[in-house]
Structures are given as C-alpha cells and as structure tokens.
Amino acid sequence: GAGVSQTPSNKVTEKGKYVELRCDPISGHTALYWYRQSLGQGPEFLIYFQGTGAADDSGLPNDRFFAVRPEGSVSTLKIQRTERGDSAVYLCASSLSQGNTEAFFGQGTRLTVV
Amino acid sequence: AQTVTQSQPEMSVQEAETVTLSCTYDTSESDYYLFWYKQPPSRQMILVIRQEAYKQQNATENRFSVNFQKAAKSFSLKISDSQLGDAAMYFCAYRSAYGGATNKLIFGTGTLLAVQP
C-alpha cells in the first residue's frame, strides 16, 4: 500500500477481554515499530521487528502484551486480559531498514477499555 | 538513558507570524539524530524536519528550520509565516545513530500549537 495501514481505527473492549491490533507496513519495509501513546503524552516504544523477528521487545509493559510478524510484513499486537490502563493510541511505524532514519507512521488504533 | 523534554505544553501564534518551539534532550552519546514530528487530529505522525548531530549546519525545510545547539543539548523548531494548517501537536524526538541499536524514537511530551487567524 501507499502508506502504513492500521486496523481497526478505533476499538472499544471490555476489561478482561483479548484484543488484536493490526499493522500493515509499507511494502518492502523490513523494520517495524509499535509505540503506545497515552493521553497527553508522547509515543512510547513497545517493540521493534527486523524482518520476522522481534529484535527488541524491551518496551512491552508486561506479559499481557505480545506481538508477531510471521511473514515479515503484517504485524499484530496482542493484548490479553485488557485493563483500563491499556487505553491509549497504539501507533505503528515502518522504515526501509534498521539504519534508515525516516520512519513512516500509521494513523494508529485508539483502544478504549471500559 | 536518553530523555527528551518539551517545556511548553501549549503555544499560540498569529497567522503569518513566526513561532519557536523548544526542546532539550539528554544523552551521553555523541552521534544521534533529532526530529520534529507533527501530529494533527488524524493522529498520524508526520516528519517535519531532521537533524544529524554530526552536522553543525542547522536543517531547513521550507518554512521550518531548527536551531541545534549540541553543547547545550537544545533543538528548537522555528516556524515562519505560520499557516492555519500548521496547527497541531508537535513532538521532538531523539534516535541513536549507533549501529546495532534498536534505533527507536524517544519522544518528548509534545507542544500543542494553535494558529490564530
């Protein structure tokens, strides 16, 4: 696609439920990043993929969060047993390679846990 | 660990005037990149301007320019001839330039810019 696509745009879920957020990066981009942006804050790093592997998952807040990128393109961020504190905008970004400085962002998924 | 600080939660400027957004950062690295991103209500982060730390010359992109002071660890954004479409949240961000690093972006808390007609 022309840009980074994230679905759904908005997601409302009940506390305790499981959610999946999808990111479709720009075709050919090997580096993919997930960030979380809480209200009134800047985005915070969650996880970085280079190809299919999670090269750095140091930003994941706890073991309820997990992400995959099985074929090196689309990535899914999975959150188990959602809590109200998980409510945020989840942003995905991709870049041509790890060393490339320009990261292109999607429009994010706004997750609301009620 | 690196940190980025934006001390101006909100700024306002008259259309056609000039405004400067402030950013300071802390790092022990000598080689890195600094960025300004714009985030309109659509939520998509848009790259405004980029500065390589090893370059002394300040980056410029049309109406946008930076004042990069490496010793002071300061990186301000100047918007000239402000337009209504410039109204958005602006984030300053840092990225390590070292090979092998994740090269994740570290963001400040943002400055909300309002442009008055």
Side-chain angles (χ1 to χ4, degrees):
Chain A
V4 178
S5 175
Q6 291 189 247
T7 54
S9 180
N10 294 281
K11 175 73 176 178
V12 179
T13 190
E14 292 181 347
K15 179 176 177 295
K17 297 290 189 184
Y18 168 83
V19 295
E20 289 189 352
L21 312 180
R22 176 187 168 109
C23 172
D24 199 342
I26 294 172
S27 178
H29 281 197
T30 61
L32 185 146
Y33 301 80
W34 283 98
Y35 292 85
R36 179 168 72 172
Q37 186 176 17
S38 299
L39 192 63
Q41 300 296 314
E44 294 180 314
F45 169 77
L46 294 176
I47 187 169
Y48 158 62
F49 286 89
Q50 180 57 42
T52 60
D56 183 351
D57 64 358
S58 62
L60 294 178
N62 50 60
D63 61 7
R64 295 186 298 105
F65 288 75
F66 189 71
V68 295
R69 193 185 186 198
E71 297 178 357
S73 55
V74 171
S75 176
T76 305
L77 179 65
K78 309 181 181 195
I79 310 174
Q80 298 178 321
R81 304 184 303 281
T82 51
E83 300 177 357
R84 293 197 177 88
D86 298 335
S87 296
V89 173
Y90 290 82
L91 293 167
C92 176
S94 70
S95 63
L96 195 56
S97 65
Q98 179 192 12
N100 193 278
T101 58
E102 183 153 10
F104 295 84
F105 283 81
Q107 292 187 311
T109 294
R110 182 181 298 281
L111 176 67
T112 304
V113 182
V114 298
Chain B
Q2 296 82 23
T3 59
V4 177
T5 302
Q6 293 179 251
S7 59
Q8 305 157 315
E10 297 182 14
M11 291 285 284
S12 183
V13 63
Q14 291 289 132
E15 198 175 2
E17 296 294 309
T18 296
V19 64
T20 298
L21 308 184
S22 300
C23 173
T24 59
Y25 59 95
D26 191 26
T27 184
S28 58
E29 298 176 335
S30 60
D31 198 12
Y32 48 86
Y33 300 93
L34 296 166
F35 305 84
W36 279 97
Y37 278 89
K38 171 185 178 181
Q39 187 179 42
S42 68
R43 302 194 303 245
Q44 185 172 21
M45 302 285 274
I46 302 165
L47 178 64
V48 174
I49 198 164
R50 167 178 51 218
Q51 175 79 44
E52 292 90 341
Y54 66 86
K55 289 187 178 179
Q56 292 195 342
Q57 186 173 5
N58 290 322
T60 299
E61 287 287 341
N62 301 313
R63 298 182 295 108
F64 299 87
S65 62
V66 298
N67 184 3
F68 173 49
Q69 301 290 328
K70 191 172 184 178
K73 295 180 182 174
S74 170
F75 183 61
S76 61
L77 174 69
K78 185 171 83 170
I79 305 174
S80 303
D81 185 26
S82 296
Q83 301 176 0
L84 295 177
D86 294 335
M89 184 71 86
Y90 285 81
F91 290 96
C92 179
Y94 171 102
R95 205 203 88 170
S96 174
Y98 286 97
T102 296
N103 295 334
K104 64 190 177 190
L105 291 164
I106 299 169
F107 289 89
T109 52
T111 296
L112 182 62
L113 178 66
V115 180
Q116 309 299 331

